[in-house]
Amino acid sequence: KIAIKGIERELICPACKELFTHPLILPCQHNICHKCVKEILFAFEDSFADGGSESSNQSSPRIRIAASSMDRIDRINRSGIKRNSLTPRSTLFPCPSCQRDIDLGERGINGLFRNFTLETIVERYRQAARAAIAIMCDFCKPPPQESTKSCMDCSASYCNECFKIHHPWGTVKAQHEYVGPTTNFRPKILMCPEHEMERVNMYCEICRRPVCHLCKLGGGHANHRVTTMSTAYKTLKEKLSKDIEYLISKESQVKAHITQLDLLLKETECNSERAKQEASQSFEKLYCVLEEKKSAALRAIETSKNIRFKKLQTQVEEYQGLLENNGLVGYAQEVLKETDPSCFVQTAKQLHVRIQKATESLKSFRPAAETTFEDFVVDTAKQEDILGDLSFHSNGLEIPEINEEQSRMYNKALISWECSGKTDSADIYVLEYHKLNKEEESVTWQKTEVCGKSKVLSDLDDDSSYAFRVQGYKGSICSPWSREVIMRTPPAPVFSFLFDDKCGYNNEHLQLNPRRTSVESRAGFPLLLGSERLQVGCFTTLDYIIGDTGIAKGKHFWAFNVEAYSYLVKVGVVPSSKIQKLFHNTPDVISPR
């Protein structure tokens, strides 16, 4: 008997977060439900078809694929997919437990072992959880009776009467193996998934899995070290028993560690609250500064408004005085009624000066104050950038620098960076980039998170300049942004090709690497003879090699590297007529090359 309580975490599938159902053992030794493997593989196939969209993994409510798993779709796609019309079609499987891409081999799911031991433990757990729920007989007439035993050979449950009827004494069925009532029926003999008619009788120590004799003779385990199943059973059981005994003997130490971890949890809670308070105080200080600046700006605007109002209102009153029977004009009209010359002259002189000024103001009207408040516009662009970069800065985290020599810009951009200091590097980096466009006033950075120190970016426009910058993060601490680096994409789509190892290739004079990406002259007499003729201007002895892909039309960008030790290299584009002359009437090939 095992202690069922407390082992629930070991019985939960990492994909569906439920109890295992027909668990399979992955090559990385982690377990997963048979149904979950299929659903995840089909979800990834849908992602390939949809271009890796995030919404494509929502088709199955049973599984929950993490964002980190979806980020690996492109990498799996580049690694290659083996397709079959009857089974899930990807041989690379993202393990939900270890987050690694596991190669399932050519047989895919069919090559995985079913974990019957784990299945039995799960069934025991279920029975303990539903002890009050009885397992009914499969053969009783309604209403069925409660079963008392289950036959492992028949994969069915029986009450006492039905068991006697279907397993009569003296027959072969009477020899069947029976156990207590259960719903978990497993085969007595474990068969090889690759050779379905063969039972497993050996254990591969390299792959850590059971194999049959055909796997050892001519299969994928031919050169592997194997041992008998009984020896492997004895060895692994002894190791496991010793390890369990050791853990049980260290129970007091484990409890001490648990107590210490509980204290660390409380300490973490207290420290986080303290950090929250300090962060809140820092932001409160910023709020106070902003509130003071805001109040001062609003007061300045209000004061300027009042001064302008006063000037404009005075000007309004002056112009209202120029209306008939009102103000200055009305007063002047009353003065004109004076008949005494001496009194009139005494008053009219000063009045005439005021009338002249009013007349001149009419000829050149100008408001006494400006209505715009352009001088009171607050420029916060720099402050917004500073606040945007506001984070938990650490003096110990080095500023990453983009390595321009290792970075490349072709149809895709390879951006590499490094940290010069000896302090601990960041856990994760954030790479930002944007296209340089003079017409756009605001800049929108595109962001991507990277675990390493390089990133390949695709979907870049041809003949365009891009700015790149990178920032490191270690936990909640981040480094300042690196210096911005500007790089330009080629003026046309990149034309990818390899060297042709068939058309005109002279393997006696030239040596081509297995990937057909580089070629060099073979050392020896032909090379010396060619060098001697080159010195006297004879170019007919040059050895030629062409690309394996022809160009029919369009504008293309291509480039390659010539080593510094090269003696003479001619580079160009060759049409079909020239190919015929160089390679002596070769068959027609798509050209130019």
Side-chain angles (χ1 to χ4, degrees):
K1 293 183 178 180
I2 62 170
I4 292 296
K5 284 189 176 182
I7 68 168
E8 294 92 338
R9 189 174 65 177
E10 302 295 330
L11 309 181
I12 298 296
C13 173
C16 62
K17 308 302 181 185
E18 298 175 1
L19 289 174
F20 281 109
T21 304
H22 304 308
L24 300 178
I25 306 175
L26 296 172
C28 59
Q29 302 303 306
H30 291 118
N31 296 284
I32 187 171
C33 295
H34 181 268
K35 186 177 180 182
C36 292
V37 175
K38 286 187 175 180
E39 290 180 343
I40 291 176
L41 286 178
F42 279 126
F44 271 82
E45 287 295 316
D46 293 341
S47 300
F48 294 136
D50 298 341
S53 61
E54 292 184 4
S55 61
S56 61
N57 70 325
Q58 303 300 323
S59 59
S60 174
R62 175 181 167 85
I63 59 174
R64 305 173 181 89
I65 302 178
S68 58
S69 297
M70 297 305 297
D71 290 340
R72 307 202 307 273
I73 291 176
D74 290 337
R75 186 168 73 252
I76 294 177
N77 197 11
R78 288 195 299 270
S79 301
I81 306 171
K82 299 176 182 177
R83 300 191 177 275
N84 187 310
S85 60
L86 300 177
T87 59
R89 300 179 288 277
S90 176
T91 59
L92 279 181
F93 178 78
C95 175
S97 296
C98 62
Q99 302 296 318
R100 288 164 49 204
D101 300 329
I102 305 302
D103 188 0
L104 300 183
E106 294 183 358
R107 292 178 57 83
I109 298 177
N110 297 329
L112 299 178
F113 277 105
R114 189 168 156 187
N115 194 337
F116 291 108
T117 302
L118 176 58
E119 200 168 332
T120 302
I121 297 173
V122 170
E123 178 60 27
R124 270 187 256 166
Y125 177 83
R126 283 198 174 103
Q127 288 183 6
R130 60 170 188 247
I133 302 176
I135 298 176
M136 309 309 292
C137 176
D138 295 328
F139 296 91
C140 279
K141 294 180 181 180
Q145 299 294 316
E146 202 175 304
S147 65
T148 56
K149 52 179 71 72
S150 295
C151 178
M152 301 304 291
D153 295 275
C154 302
S155 299
S157 297
Y158 302 87
C159 64
N160 285 331
E161 295 299 324
C162 291
F163 187 81
K164 292 177 182 177
I165 295 172
H166 291 86
H167 296 76
W169 183 257
T171 64
V172 176
K173 284 192 173 183
Q175 306 300 319
H176 284 189
E177 178 187 359
Y178 62 90
V179 295
T182 182
T183 58
N184 178 40
F185 301 101
R186 69 182 193 183
K188 289 184 176 181
I189 302 173
L190 192 62
M191 308 303 289
C192 177
E194 295 187 18
H195 309 96
E196 297 177 357
M197 301 302 294
E198 300 294 330
R199 61 178 295 178
V200 295
N201 53 8
M202 291 180 284
Y203 181 79
C204 178
E205 297 182 358
I206 304 298
C207 302
R208 294 185 297 173
R209 59 176 291 170
V211 295
C212 69
H213 70 283
L214 292 181
C215 293
K216 176 60 179 172
L217 289 176
H221 306 269
N223 298 321
H224 292 183
R225 185 173 64 252
V226 298
T227 183
T228 62
M229 190 62 70
S230 58
T231 303
Y233 169 78
K234 183 179 179 180
T235 302
L236 291 175
K237 195 163 189 177
E238 287 178 358
K239 287 182 179 180
L240 187 59
S241 300
K242 288 181 180 178
D243 291 341
I244 292 174
E245 289 176 3
Y246 176 80
L247 290 176
I248 293 174
S249 66
K250 298 293 182 180
E251 185 175 354
S252 59
Q253 185 177 347
V254 173
K255 290 181 179 179
H257 289 334
I258 293 174
T259 303
Q260 184 180 358
L261 289 172
D262 289 336
L263 293 175
L264 290 176
L265 285 171
K266 294 178 181 178
E267 187 177 346
T268 302
E269 180 69 24
C270 294
N271 290 338
S272 67
E273 291 299 325
R274 189 182 303 112
K276 286 180 182 178
Q277 292 178 359
E278 293 175 356
S280 298
Q281 292 174 0
S282 299
F283 281 102
E284 287 295 336
K285 291 179 182 178
L286 288 177
Y287 296 153
C288 293
V289 173
L290 289 174
E291 283 296 332
E292 291 178 3
K293 290 291 183 181
K294 177 183 175 182
S295 299
L298 295 179
R299 283 197 302 269
I301 294 173
E302 186 68 23
T303 302
S304 178
K305 183 199 78 171
N306 294 335
I307 294 173
R308 297 182 191 195
F309 263 42
K310 189 174 182 180
K311 290 181 179 179
L312 292 172
Q313 286 173 351
T314 302
Q315 192 175 20
V316 168
E317 293 173 358
E318 290 177 355
Y319 276 96
Q320 285 178 344
L322 301 180
L323 299 175
E324 185 178 4
N325 298 323
N326 192 12
L328 181 62
V329 174
Y331 174 64
Q333 289 174 339
E334 293 297 324
V335 170
L336 287 174
K337 296 177 182 180
E338 178 62 50
T339 58
D340 187 345
S342 58
C343 292
F344 177 80
V345 171
Q346 183 182 13
T347 306
K349 181 63 179 176
Q350 183 182 9
L351 181 61
H352 184 252
V353 173
R354 293 177 62 191
I355 292 292
Q356 282 183 327
K357 289 183 178 179
T359 303
E360 291 176 358
S361 67
L362 283 176
K363 293 178 180 179
S364 59
F365 173 74
R366 185 176 181 182
E370 294 287 340
T371 58
T372 62
F373 282 77
E374 294 178 351
D375 296 337
F376 291 88
V377 175
V378 181
D379 183 10
T380 61
K382 293 182 179 179
Q383 286 73 17
E384 288 175 4
D385 291 339
I386 294 173
L387 289 174
D389 293 335
L390 187 63
S391 59
F392 301 103
H393 281 281
S394 171
N395 295 328
L397 200 58
E398 288 292 329
I399 303 175
E401 289 296 332
I402 295 178
N403 190 325
E404 297 184 59
E405 293 183 357
Q406 295 182 2
S407 300
R408 297 285 185 272
M409 287 281 280
Y410 294 118
N411 55 340
K412 296 181 180 180
L414 170 63
I415 308 300
S416 299
W417 57 89
E418 55 190 16
C419 296
S420 57
K422 296 181 180 180
T423 54
D424 292 340
S425 60
D427 296 330
I428 196 169
Y429 293 92
V430 174
L431 175 65
E432 289 191 346
Y433 62 99
H434 73 90
K435 183 179 178 181
L436 297 181
N437 193 341
K438 296 181 180 179
E439 298 178 357
E440 295 183 1
E441 296 181 358
S442 60
V443 175
T444 302
W445 290 87
Q446 298 186 58
K447 182 184 296 186
T448 178
E449 292 187 355
V450 188
C451 294
K453 292 186 178 180
S454 65
K455 177 67 176 178
V456 176
L457 302 172
S458 55
D459 299 328
L460 301 179
D461 296 334
D462 298 327
D463 201 14
S464 303
S465 295
Y466 286 84
F468 301 89
R469 66 179 184 181
V470 66
Q471 184 181 45
Y473 278 83
K474 192 174 182 67
S476 59
I477 310 299
C478 72
S479 71
W481 285 105
S482 67
R483 175 181 58 87
E484 289 186 19
V485 172
I486 298 175
M487 301 179 70
R488 191 169 184 83
T489 55
V494 171
F495 175 63
S496 300
F497 62 93
L498 301 174
F499 287 121
D500 197 329
D501 60 351
K502 296 179 176 62
C503 180
Y505 170 60
N506 189 340
N507 58 3
E508 294 181 358
H509 293 183
L510 298 177
Q511 184 174 359
L512 191 63
N513 73 336
R515 293 184 299 162
R516 295 193 287 128
T517 56
S518 68
V519 64
E520 62 181 358
S521 298
R522 288 185 180 274
F525 182 73
L527 180 60
L528 295 175
L529 185 62
S531 301
E532 182 181 355
R533 292 180 179 177
L534 286 173
Q535 290 176 357
V536 296
C538 180
F539 294 99
T540 58
T541 59
L542 281 175
D543 292 304
Y544 291 91
I545 189 166
I546 59 175
D548 65 347
T549 307
I551 303 171
K553 60 181 180 179
K555 184 179 180 182
H556 306 272
F557 175 86
W558 57 277
F560 61 87
N561 181 59
V562 179
E563 295 292 351
Y565 56 76
S566 301
Y567 182 76
L568 175 65
V569 177
K570 294 181 70 177
V571 180
V573 179
V574 57
S576 58
S577 59
K578 188 69 174 178
I579 292 177
Q580 299 290 334
K581 293 179 181 179
L582 291 176
F583 300 136
H584 308 296
N585 298 324
T586 55
D588 290 338
V589 294
I590 300 175
S591 61
R593 297 286 183 99

